[in-house]
Amino acid sequence: MDQKATLNKDRRAYFRIVYPDGHRPQITIRGTSFDIMDICEIGIRFLNPDQSKLPGDIFQAVVTLHDNDPFNIIGRIIRVADAEAAMMITIRGIPYKKIIAEQAYLRHLND
């Protein structure tokens, strides 16, 4: 594989925001809240320290970012590994405007 093909393969289609400890927003799935480790417009990776049972089918969840304005997403769990889980958002992705606001929030932490 040439270098250009390798670079294209390694690029993500969506920008991912990684949250530091102590500044993680929440995702609530069927009444249980989890800390979000990182997000992009079509996916969320979150902590599941108690390894709670997660839905196996498509489900609705509520995400509350740092603007404290909860919104619904619909998706499914695509990966569970130890105390982490990943959700692919299949309908109602995270609005790009919210992604930009989260970037600004995290930049402000470093000022």
Side-chain angles (χ1 to χ4, degrees):
M1 186 180 305
D2 66 25
Q3 186 176 6
K4 187 175 180 180
T6 301
L7 287 174
N8 286 337
K9 181 179 175 234
D10 291 340
R11 283 191 189 141
R12 289 188 175 271
Y14 299 92
F15 183 77
R16 185 165 295 280
I17 296 175
V18 178
Y19 291 96
D21 290 338
H23 296 280
R24 292 183 170 150
Q26 299 282 300
I27 182 170
T28 303
I29 301 169
R30 296 188 176 162
T32 303
S33 293
F34 304 93
D35 286 345
I36 295 173
M37 299 171 65
D38 59 60
I39 65 169
C40 72
E41 291 168 82
I42 61 160
I44 296 177
R45 189 168 57 110
F46 58 93
L47 291 172
N48 185 4
D50 300 327
Q51 297 183 356
S52 301
K53 182 169 173 39
L54 297 168
D57 53 353
I58 292 179
F59 62 94
Q60 180 174 310
V62 178
V63 175
T64 305
L65 300 176
H66 290 94
D67 62 4
N68 289 318
D69 182 22
F71 59 94
N72 294 322
I73 58 172
I74 297 173
R76 63 183 177 86
I77 300 299
I78 57 169
R79 184 175 56 255
V80 176
D82 299 321
E84 297 178 11
M87 177 183 183
M88 182 174 81
I89 302 168
T90 55
I91 304 173
R92 296 188 197 158
I94 297 172
Y96 184 69
K97 181 177 169 183
K98 287 194 177 276
I99 298 287
I100 297 300
E102 288 296 285
Q103 285 178 311
Y105 168 81
L106 291 173
R107 259 188 257 121
H108 180 70
L109 291 178
N110 295 322
D111 290 346

